[in-house]
Amino acid sequence: MRILERFGEQTIAFLEYLGGMMALIGESIRSLVHAQIRYAETFVQAYELGIGSLLIVLLTSLFTGMVISLESAQQAVQFGIGSLVGGAVTYTSVRELGPMLTAVVVAGRVGSAIAAEIGSMVVTEQIDALRSMGLSPVRFLVVPRLLALAIMLPLLTVFADIISILGGMWIAQAYAHINPASFISSARQAVGFEDVVKGLLKALIFACIIAFVGCYQGLSTRGGAAGVGRATTSAVVISIILIFGTNFVMSYLLFGGH
Amino acid sequence: MEPTIYASLDDVTLSFGEHVILKNCNLKIVRGAITCIVGLSGAGKSTILRLLDGLIEPSSGHVYVDGHDLCHTPERDLVELRQKTSLAFQFAALLDSLTIGENVGLPLREHTALPDEKIQHIVDDALESVGLRHVYDSLPNELSGGMLKRAGFARAIVTRPELVLYDEPTTGLDPIVTNLITDTILRLREKLGGTAVVISHDLHSIFRMADYVAMLFEGAIIAYGPREEIRTSTNPFVQQFLTGSEVGPIPV
């Protein structure tokens, strides 16, 4: 009986979460459609959330490109297909690892920061104060963060793709003596402009996931400082799981197994 | 002349799960008067302010402000109604990222098309009213508790609302600042001429500023009337509360 009760409670909690999230997305879209956008705040958020994440994204992408190249170059040279390493590194970076790793890094850094900031505002009654003044917390807080991430995450992904490929090219040359010209030629054959656009579309969807989950967890914070801690952790965990799941679905839909 | 009612709670019940906060609660707020609500900690006094501000909805009953029933009113319409009401929060609830001047001017910037110079002038005037003109460019974390509360008052009155709700304005302050806050509330009422509801535990301050006093106990208003009537009330609950005695009908 207790198991059934628990199952029922969890189901209700899940449906409440889903309903709350849908309401948040709906209100955000309404604000965007009515052009109720705080441009100055969006710019500040774009700088803080985007530019602030640049270094960590570049470093993780650089090492990722380098390790893919390291693992593939040695084997490829042994089998006499060293000229394909450029294609392998670029293919994985642009279509999968670039958008996904950038999103995971940003979810860890920015998703948690959004949840913590908004969660603190909830426990110090600042959100109630906004509502009391007749201001929508969604328009005031969610929409600028959503827009900032929707602009900055694809941009960060472009930088991540480039630095990952450059890192891979450097290791391919230094470790397996693969000529940069051959590396670039292979990369251009393996990946087209369409792949880059699809990778950036993934980044855009991941940006929405990070913004909505971070904001929702922040806005649903209950219970003081401990509640802020829980909201922050949940924001990161839920974002990362959703990013991985969505990445699989999008890869299937966009690339169709090709 | 019969006093007119600006706001009221009609048979309001509010519960969260099995926890009942207000039970068939009735309260009338007289137009142009200061009504103080007293009661034990956790009795639901701040909840009444949130109901009057439309921040929460009762489980049953009705909340009227200036003739409008706030219950079951769509959020979009509440936004307009809330501009007639202002809530000064217990800990001010100023936005951390904005300066005091920006905080106070926020409702004007968001709801009016006034030019920046005019907004600055109104904000300066609001800060002057609470004796804080010199902190315009300070951040909230640079102010003391009493100054924060007064900055919160400035934000609450900057749009000249018809109803100002003060949530425990004197709690946690020393007697001198408590007097200053009480004076400020009285001065603001004189200046704005509106209606105010004050939640407080400070009896000295309450009997200085209140026109009417209501006592909340176990989710309902058990005593209500002009301040002198309450001060001299023979109601044993009121007597025990006013004297602070441990002996009486209120369980300690």
Side-chain angles (χ1 to χ4, degrees), chain A residues 2-250:
Chain A
R2 185 161 286 181
I3 294 170
L4 274 178
E5 240 175 60
R6 184 130 182 87
F7 178 73
E9 280 169 10
Q10 295 292 327
T11 308
I12 290 169
F14 175 72
L15 291 175
E16 276 177 356
Y17 187 92
L18 212 58
M21 184 63 88
M22 288 301 132
L24 180 70
I25 293 171
E27 202 179 333
S28 303
I29 291 171
R30 201 162 43 240
S31 284
L32 286 168
V33 168
H34 293 142
Q36 294 172 326
I37 298 162
R38 298 174 69 233
Y39 292 102
E41 175 68 6
T42 303
F43 182 79
V44 170
Q45 291 297 327
Y47 182 83
E48 285 184 4
L49 306 181
I51 308 297
S53 305
L54 185 61
L55 183 63
I56 185 169
V57 165
L58 290 182
L59 283 173
T60 48
S61 305
L62 175 70
F63 289 123
T64 306
M66 284 164 65
V67 84
I68 298 170
S69 186
L70 185 71
E71 295 287 347
S72 58
Q74 210 177 18
Q75 300 287 328
V77 169
Q78 270 181 10
F79 289 102
I81 49 169
S83 59
L84 297 182
V85 172
V89 171
T90 310
Y91 191 87
T92 40
S93 295
V94 169
R95 287 170 56 138
E96 298 296 334
L97 292 179
M100 202 174 72
L101 276 181
T102 306
V104 168
V105 167
V106 170
R109 185 185 172 276
V110 173
S112 57
I114 290 175
E117 185 186 3
I118 297 181
S120 302
M121 291 179 76
V122 170
V123 299
T124 54
E125 298 183 315
Q126 291 177 50
I127 300 295
D128 277 346
L130 284 175
R131 292 182 59 221
S132 174
M133 285 185 276
L135 303 176
S136 156
V138 172
R139 185 179 80 79
F140 206 83
L141 299 168
V142 179
V143 171
R145 284 159 180 77
L146 172 68
L147 275 180
L149 274 172
I151 295 164
M152 296 312 285
L153 195 60
L155 276 177
L156 286 170
T157 304
V158 170
F159 284 114
D161 289 348
I162 293 169
I163 202 80
S164 171
I165 294 165
L166 288 176
M169 191 166 72
W170 175 47
I171 287 296
Q173 188 192 18
Y175 194 70
H177 307 294
I178 294 167
N179 187 322
S182 155
F183 186 98
I184 290 168
S185 164
S186 163
R188 290 179 68 174
Q189 279 177 12
V191 176
F193 180 68
E194 197 184 304
D195 294 305
V196 177
V197 172
K198 286 176 178 174
L200 295 183
L201 180 63
K202 279 184 173 182
L204 181 66
I205 301 296
F206 297 156
C208 295
I209 290 173
I210 296 166
F212 282 128
V213 171
C215 290
Y216 186 77
Q217 291 303 129
L219 288 170
S220 357
T221 300
R222 298 287 177 274
V228 176
R230 278 194 298 274
T232 308
T233 310
S234 309
V236 177
V237 172
I238 295 170
S239 295
I240 288 177
I241 291 170
L242 285 177
I243 286 166
F244 275 82
T246 310
N247 185 57
F248 171 76
V249 174
M250 288 191 74

Side-chain angles (χ1 to χ4, degrees), chain B residues 30-47:
Chain B
V30 174
R31 186 184 289 272
I34 295 182
T35 303
C36 288
I37 304 174
V38 298
L40 300 178
S41 300
K45 302 183 295 296
S46 298
T47 304

